[in-house]
Amino acid sequence: MNRIFSGMQPTGNLHLGNYLGAVRNWVAMQHDYECFFCMVDMHAITMPQDPAELRRSTREVAAAYIASGIDPDVCSIFHQSALGGEHAELTWILSSLTPLGWLNRMTQFKEKAGKKRENAGLALYSYPVLMAADILLYHATHVPVGEDQKQHLELARDIAGAFNRHYDIEFFPLPEPQILGEATRVMSLRDGSSKMSKSDPSDQSRINLTDDADTIAQKIKRAKTDPELLPDDPAALDGRPEAANLVGIYAALSDQTAAQVLADFAGKGFGQFKPALSDLAVSVLSPISENMRRLLNDPAELDRIIGGSAERARSVAAPILHKTKDIVGFLQV
Ligand code: AMP
Ligand code: TRP
């Protein structure tokens, strides 16, 4: 059976972009693959985190996965640091085959490091190598993510290829990115040119999975748009990033294409479109946030799920790491 690995950083404020770009697709794929869905806390600490908040957020992400429809009896839902040793060890081995030139091309590092690049941490720089290790440690074949992770996945494929070539063995499968749906890059509600993000200082820029119905309606009502009417052809949304974003969100939430959505709303303005979008978003997200609240009220049960999953993950990862060390030539006595 083909295997999926994907993950999310437990850094607070899970939002509609995380849901539509990632988790929703995981839910759809979970029965056709053996799935590992990780809370990547080791990636989270590449930027400063408050320890108590990191722990809280790790449980919250697990709750969001389950509340969104991931079945913990079928999929492994665990935190990366539970197998920290294995993930870190493979990262080190893969680092030895990753040229600096490849890492220097990573746009996410440039964005996160900002102008003071000399002050950026080593882990922020090697972030994509840890991500490659996450995937390769499970011999994952498919990796469903949002569009912003495409470059990191191409690097993971390059690193897998470099390992296989260097040791002249077909050991790591080259993972296939799965960037699916009508909302692979959900944009900020305040600015159609920047992506919806956990770290945007404006809470108005995103719809959080924990927002209540009134908050969702408020945020959509205030979302930036333009004065034009909606066209009947998605191509006519070119140059209208805010309008294209809202139509894409509607399409993804209702399991339609943008063209189907426009067939219903062509010639209408945002005064009509926004309330419909609000109702739709609330109908999809309310049950999720309700489920999240219920799950978070029983942390012991969540921890039981996470702990059991980590064990299952270890039973897959440990033999792969063992074989990797063998290939590299480490004495194993
Ligand atoms: P992160 O929040 O950076 O850990 O991302 C977790 C997952 O959500 C990854 O698969 C991302 O590609 C996806 N994701 C994050 N932000 C967005 C967005 N604005 N639109 C679509 N997918 C996103
Ligand atoms: N870097 C990813 C993000 O921020 C999260 C991640 C870490 C991931 N390891 C992964 C995603 C492995 C897919 C596979 O979105």
Side-chain angles (χ1 to χ4, degrees), residues 28-43:
M29 300 169 91
Q30 65 182 324
H31 296 297
D32 301 324
Y33 298 80
E34 183 186 3
C35 294
F36 294 88
F37 297 123
C38 199
M39 292 79 82
V40 290
D41 48 2
M42 291 164 70
H43 278 104

Side-chain angles (χ1 to χ4, degrees), residues 4 25-33 35 142 144 178 180:
I4 281 181
N25 297 324
W26 305 353
V27 173
M29 300 169 91
Q30 65 182 324
H31 296 297
D32 301 324
Y33 298 80
C35 294
H142 295 77
Q178 305 275 289
L180 305 167

Side-chain angles (χ1 to χ4, degrees), residues 58-136:
T58 301
R59 285 201 187 98
E60 185 175 88
V61 173
Y65 291 174
I66 299 168
S68 302
I70 302 288
D71 180 350
D73 291 332
V74 175
C75 305
S76 300
I77 297 173
F78 64 105
H79 53 309
Q80 193 181 26
S81 63
L83 287 83
E86 283 89 340
H87 286 250
E89 219 170 326
L90 185 58
T91 300
W92 186 257
I93 292 170
L94 299 177
S95 300
S96 70
L97 295 168
T98 308
L100 296 188
W102 291 2
L103 292 177
N104 288 339
R105 287 204 294 269
M106 296 295 116
T107 54
Q108 185 178 289
F109 172 75
K110 290 179 203 168
E111 280 159 26
K112 287 193 177 173
K115 290 204 178 73
K116 294 193 174 160
R117 196 169 302 176
E118 293 296 308
N119 292 342
L122 176 58
L124 188 64
Y125 188 64
S126 55
Y127 178 114
V129 188
L130 175 59
M131 180 162 158
D134 292 343
I135 298 165
L136 302 182

Side-chain angles (χ1 to χ4, degrees), residues 5-9 40 43 127 131 134-135 143 145 149 152:
F5 185 100
S6 196
M8 205 168 277
Q9 299 183 72
V40 290
H43 278 104
Y127 178 114
M131 180 162 158
D134 292 343
I135 298 165
V143 185
V145 284
Q149 295 304 311
H152 286 159

Side-chain angles (χ1 to χ4, degrees), residues 10-321:
T11 47
N13 293 327
L14 284 177
H15 54 71
L16 189 62
N18 296 131
Y19 178 65
L20 294 179
V23 184
R24 191 182 166 89
N25 297 324
W26 305 353
V27 173
M29 300 169 91
Q30 65 182 324
H31 296 297
D32 301 324
Y33 298 80
E34 183 186 3
C35 294
F36 294 88
F37 297 123
C38 199
M39 292 79 82
V40 290
D41 48 2
M42 291 164 70
H43 278 104
I45 61 160
T46 59
M47 297 294 269
Q49 304 298 336
D50 173 72
E53 182 53 26
L54 179 62
R55 219 174 339 260
R56 192 199 62 78
S57 193
T58 301
R59 285 201 187 98
E60 185 175 88
V61 173
Y65 291 174
I66 299 168
S68 302
I70 302 288
D71 180 350
D73 291 332
V74 175
C75 305
S76 300
I77 297 173
F78 64 105
H79 53 309
Q80 193 181 26
S81 63
L83 287 83
E86 283 89 340
H87 286 250
E89 219 170 326
L90 185 58
T91 300
W92 186 257
I93 292 170
L94 299 177
S95 300
S96 70
L97 295 168
T98 308
L100 296 188
W102 291 2
L103 292 177
N104 288 339
R105 287 204 294 269
M106 296 295 116
T107 54
Q108 185 178 289
F109 172 75
K110 290 179 203 168
E111 280 159 26
K112 287 193 177 173
K115 290 204 178 73
K116 294 193 174 160
R117 196 169 302 176
E118 293 296 308
N119 292 342
L122 176 58
L124 188 64
Y125 188 64
S126 55
Y127 178 114
V129 188
L130 175 59
M131 180 162 158
D134 292 343
I135 298 165
L136 302 182
L137 186 58
Y138 299 85
H139 276 187
T141 51
H142 295 77
V143 185
V145 284
E147 225 224 20
D148 59 346
Q149 295 304 311
K150 191 165 175 231
Q151 193 185 37
H152 286 159
L153 277 177
E154 279 160 9
L155 184 80
R157 287 171 65 88
D158 287 344
I159 292 175
F163 184 97
N164 293 347
R165 260 194 318 282
H166 184 82
Y167 294 104
D168 195 19
I169 182 170
E170 278 309 307
F171 184 60
F172 289 122
L174 303 195
E176 288 289 340
Q178 305 275 289
I179 300 171
L180 305 167
E182 288 287 323
T184 56
R185 187 175 175 80
V186 177
M187 308 308 280
S188 156
L189 298 180
R190 308 299 303 164
D191 169 9
S193 67
S194 65
K195 76 173 179 192
M196 187 176 285
S197 147
K198 291 170 180 165
S199 54
D200 193 316
S202 164
D203 195 58
Q204 294 294 318
S205 70
R206 67 181 159 260
I207 294 175
N208 302 306
L209 292 189
T210 48
D211 284 345
D212 60 28
D214 285 348
T215 310
I216 293 175
Q218 280 276 343
K219 285 179 176 175
I220 291 177
K221 195 167 170 200
R222 290 199 198 128
K224 186 174 168 201
T225 44
D226 56 42
E228 314 281 314
L229 302 178
L230 285 165
D232 57 6
D233 175 8
L237 290 172
D238 275 1
R240 297 176 65 188
E242 286 86 11
N245 188 39
L246 295 186
V247 170
I249 291 173
Y250 192 106
L253 282 172
S254 61
D255 268 326
Q256 300 182 82
T257 62
Q260 285 168 325
V261 174
L262 290 177
D264 288 339
F265 288 97
K268 296 186 176 148
F270 288 98
Q272 274 173 288
F273 183 71
K274 280 180 166 181
L277 178 58
S278 279
D279 289 347
L280 175 63
V282 168
S283 74
V284 175
L285 298 182
S286 289
I288 296 178
S289 57
E290 222 167 275
N291 272 334
M292 274 177 77
R293 261 194 298 279
R294 195 177 42 75
L295 290 157
L296 287 166
N297 272 333
D298 189 355
E301 171 60 8
L302 266 183
D303 289 358
R304 193 191 59 76
I305 293 171
I306 295 170
S309 289
E311 234 168 85
R312 200 180 327 163
R314 192 170 294 109
S315 72
V316 171
I320 293 175
L321 181 62

